[in-house]
Amino acid sequence: MFKSFYPYEHVDSVHVIDYRKLYNMGYKGIIFDIDNTLVHHGENSNPAVDQLFKDIHQIGLKTILLSNNCDERIESFLKNIDVPFISNANKPKTDNYYKAVRMLDINVTEAVMVGDQLFTDIYGANSCRMPNILVNYMRYDDEEKIGIRRHVEKSLLSLYKKNKSYQNRLGDIQLKG
Ligand SMILES: [Mg+2]
């Protein structure tokens, strides 16, 4: 049962993913969660994220944002980036994962979902058999308390780490050095 929460890959951040390798493997689109994946919850984009999108587009991959947050939040995030988005996405419900790949004009198996939450981003992607990558959620250094859901995620992740057959299912797409 737990395996529906297991990501294909688990990496530290969106910045250490080898997007060119994904492209060379035949993937055509990346679907990003925003909050605590690309930026801290509620923050606008920053130069590093703007550059990341430029680099990804240059490789030839399409991108779309899939967020459970509202229009206003996403539009302020998008100041310097020209990327389509779906707000109020209701993840992990799968409807908007399918809508996202339709908007990118690709198939579910040609997309990779990247997000920080097992119960929304990853579970939803697994439910439609879409490859996915978990990133460590962004926290502030002085942030001590974590919620109950993060505790459950931690337990699931330690089970995942013992289950080698579910790891590196995209063939280790982490940038080296
Ligand atoms: Mg998130």
PDB file of all heavy atoms in Angstrom, residues 33-37 41 91 115-117 120-121 150, ligand 1:
ATOM      1  N   ASP A  33       5.329  21.525  -8.835  1.00  0.00           N
ATOM      2  CA  ASP A  33       4.648  22.142  -7.707  1.00  0.00           C
ATOM      3  C   ASP A  33       5.406  23.451  -7.428  1.00  0.00           C
ATOM      4  O   ASP A  33       6.551  23.609  -7.854  1.00  0.00           O
ATOM      5  CB  ASP A  33       4.743  21.194  -6.501  1.00  0.00           C
ATOM      6  CG  ASP A  33       4.295  21.847  -5.214  1.00  0.00           C
ATOM      7  OD1 ASP A  33       3.170  22.389  -5.174  1.00  0.00           O
ATOM      8  OD2 ASP A  33       5.083  21.834  -4.232  1.00  0.00           O
ATOM      9  N   ILE A  34       4.787  24.393  -6.741  1.00  0.00           N
ATOM     10  CA  ILE A  34       5.483  25.661  -6.461  1.00  0.00           C
ATOM     11  C   ILE A  34       5.968  25.730  -5.011  1.00  0.00           C
ATOM     12  O   ILE A  34       7.171  25.790  -4.733  1.00  0.00           O
ATOM     13  CB  ILE A  34       4.561  26.872  -6.738  1.00  0.00           C
ATOM     14  CG1 ILE A  34       4.085  26.878  -8.188  1.00  0.00           C
ATOM     15  CG2 ILE A  34       5.320  28.176  -6.428  1.00  0.00           C
ATOM     16  CD1 ILE A  34       3.105  28.001  -8.515  1.00  0.00           C
ATOM     17  N   ASP A  35       5.009  25.751  -4.081  1.00  0.00           N
ATOM     18  CA  ASP A  35       5.348  26.062  -2.692  1.00  0.00           C
ATOM     19  C   ASP A  35       6.195  24.985  -2.023  1.00  0.00           C
ATOM     20  O   ASP A  35       5.817  23.808  -2.008  1.00  0.00           O
ATOM     21  CB  ASP A  35       4.070  26.308  -1.882  1.00  0.00           C
ATOM     22  CG  ASP A  35       3.408  27.612  -2.290  1.00  0.00           C
ATOM     23  OD1 ASP A  35       4.088  28.652  -2.237  1.00  0.00           O
ATOM     24  OD2 ASP A  35       2.225  27.586  -2.677  1.00  0.00           O
ATOM     25  N   ASN A  36       7.322  25.423  -1.486  1.00  0.00           N
ATOM     26  CA  ASN A  36       8.319  24.566  -0.830  1.00  0.00           C
ATOM     27  C   ASN A  36       9.017  23.602  -1.787  1.00  0.00           C
ATOM     28  O   ASN A  36       9.796  22.762  -1.369  1.00  0.00           O
ATOM     29  CB  ASN A  36       7.716  23.791   0.352  1.00  0.00           C
ATOM     30  CG  ASN A  36       7.299  24.731   1.463  1.00  0.00           C
ATOM     31  OD1 ASN A  36       7.923  25.768   1.661  1.00  0.00           O
ATOM     32  ND2 ASN A  36       6.248  24.389   2.177  1.00  0.00           N
ATOM     33  N   THR A  37       8.710  23.741  -3.084  1.00  0.00           N
ATOM     34  CA  THR A  37       9.428  22.982  -4.106  1.00  0.00           C
ATOM     35  C   THR A  37      10.362  23.931  -4.848  1.00  0.00           C
ATOM     36  O   THR A  37      11.570  23.737  -4.886  1.00  0.00           O
ATOM     37  CB  THR A  37       8.440  22.331  -5.099  1.00  0.00           C
ATOM     38  OG1 THR A  37       7.692  21.319  -4.412  1.00  0.00           O
ATOM     39  CG2 THR A  37       9.160  21.701  -6.270  1.00  0.00           C
ATOM     40  N   HIS A  41       7.173  28.662   0.871  1.00  0.00           N
ATOM     41  CA  HIS A  41       5.740  28.872   0.768  1.00  0.00           C
ATOM     42  C   HIS A  41       5.384  30.365   0.655  1.00  0.00           C
ATOM     43  O   HIS A  41       5.771  31.152   1.505  1.00  0.00           O
ATOM     44  CB  HIS A  41       5.032  28.266   1.991  1.00  0.00           C
ATOM     45  CG  HIS A  41       3.552  28.220   1.836  1.00  0.00           C
ATOM     46  ND1 HIS A  41       2.896  27.137   1.295  1.00  0.00           N
ATOM     47  CD2 HIS A  41       2.607  29.144   2.092  1.00  0.00           C
ATOM     48  CE1 HIS A  41       1.621  27.389   1.246  1.00  0.00           C
ATOM     49  NE2 HIS A  41       1.402  28.591   1.727  1.00  0.00           N
ATOM     50  N   LYS A  91      -4.667  18.603  -5.989  1.00  0.00           N
ATOM     51  CA  LYS A  91      -3.829  17.403  -5.870  1.00  0.00           C
ATOM     52  C   LYS A  91      -4.135  16.746  -4.526  1.00  0.00           C
ATOM     53  O   LYS A  91      -4.336  17.462  -3.553  1.00  0.00           O
ATOM     54  CB  LYS A  91      -2.333  17.794  -5.910  1.00  0.00           C
ATOM     55  CG  LYS A  91      -1.848  18.319  -7.242  1.00  0.00           C
ATOM     56  CD  LYS A  91      -0.399  18.822  -7.144  1.00  0.00           C
ATOM     57  CE  LYS A  91      -0.300  20.147  -6.431  1.00  0.00           C
ATOM     58  NZ  LYS A  91       1.060  20.725  -6.384  1.00  0.00           N
ATOM     59  N   GLY A 115       7.779  17.557  -7.012  1.00  0.00           N
ATOM     60  CA  GLY A 115       7.114  18.212  -5.892  1.00  0.00           C
ATOM     61  C   GLY A 115       7.699  17.807  -4.558  1.00  0.00           C
ATOM     62  O   GLY A 115       8.545  16.901  -4.485  1.00  0.00           O
ATOM     63  N   ASP A 116       7.239  18.459  -3.499  1.00  0.00           N
ATOM     64  CA  ASP A 116       7.812  18.225  -2.167  1.00  0.00           C
ATOM     65  C   ASP A 116       6.916  17.395  -1.258  1.00  0.00           C
ATOM     66  O   ASP A 116       7.305  17.080  -0.142  1.00  0.00           O
ATOM     67  CB  ASP A 116       8.123  19.552  -1.475  1.00  0.00           C
ATOM     68  CG  ASP A 116       6.864  20.279  -1.052  1.00  0.00           C
ATOM     69  OD1 ASP A 116       6.064  20.650  -1.934  1.00  0.00           O
ATOM     70  OD2 ASP A 116       6.650  20.454   0.172  1.00  0.00           O
ATOM     71  N   GLN A 117       5.723  17.040  -1.716  1.00  0.00           N
ATOM     72  CA  GLN A 117       4.824  16.339  -0.797  1.00  0.00           C
ATOM     73  C   GLN A 117       4.395  14.962  -1.294  1.00  0.00           C
ATOM     74  O   GLN A 117       3.857  14.814  -2.389  1.00  0.00           O
ATOM     75  CB  GLN A 117       3.567  17.181  -0.554  1.00  0.00           C
ATOM     76  CG  GLN A 117       3.841  18.366   0.342  1.00  0.00           C
ATOM     77  CD  GLN A 117       2.566  18.893   0.980  1.00  0.00           C
ATOM     78  OE1 GLN A 117       1.714  18.127   1.417  1.00  0.00           O
ATOM     79  NE2 GLN A 117       2.442  20.201   1.027  1.00  0.00           N
ATOM     80  N   THR A 120       0.401  14.631  -1.745  1.00  0.00           N
ATOM     81  CA  THR A 120      -0.275  15.352  -2.832  1.00  0.00           C
ATOM     82  C   THR A 120       0.467  15.108  -4.141  1.00  0.00           C
ATOM     83  O   THR A 120       0.023  14.315  -4.977  1.00  0.00           O
ATOM     84  CB  THR A 120      -0.374  16.862  -2.529  1.00  0.00           C
ATOM     85  OG1 THR A 120       0.939  17.380  -2.270  1.00  0.00           O
ATOM     86  CG2 THR A 120      -1.264  17.113  -1.343  1.00  0.00           C
ATOM     87  N   ASP A 121       1.621  15.769  -4.306  1.00  0.00           N
ATOM     88  CA  ASP A 121       2.361  15.726  -5.575  1.00  0.00           C
ATOM     89  C   ASP A 121       2.656  14.300  -6.033  1.00  0.00           C
ATOM     90  O   ASP A 121       2.368  13.933  -7.182  1.00  0.00           O
ATOM     91  CB  ASP A 121       3.695  16.472  -5.423  1.00  0.00           C
ATOM     92  CG  ASP A 121       3.500  17.877  -4.887  1.00  0.00           C
ATOM     93  OD1 ASP A 121       2.665  18.609  -5.445  1.00  0.00           O
ATOM     94  OD2 ASP A 121       4.167  18.241  -3.895  1.00  0.00           O
ATOM     95  N   ARG A 150       4.228  15.969   8.097  1.00  0.00           N
ATOM     96  CA  ARG A 150       5.647  15.816   7.772  1.00  0.00           C
ATOM     97  C   ARG A 150       6.262  14.652   8.550  1.00  0.00           C
ATOM     98  O   ARG A 150       7.170  13.983   8.069  1.00  0.00           O
ATOM     99  CB  ARG A 150       6.408  17.114   8.063  1.00  0.00           C
ATOM    100  CG  ARG A 150       6.087  18.273   7.115  1.00  0.00           C
ATOM    101  CD  ARG A 150       6.491  17.963   5.684  1.00  0.00           C
ATOM    102  NE  ARG A 150       6.300  19.111   4.803  1.00  0.00           N
ATOM    103  CZ  ARG A 150       6.419  19.052   3.473  1.00  0.00           C
ATOM    104  NH1 ARG A 150       6.703  17.913   2.882  1.00  0.00           N
ATOM    105  NH2 ARG A 150       6.223  20.121   2.741  1.00  0.00           N
TER     106      ARG A 150
HETATM  107 MG    MG B   1       4.521  22.053  -2.142  1.00  0.00          MG
END
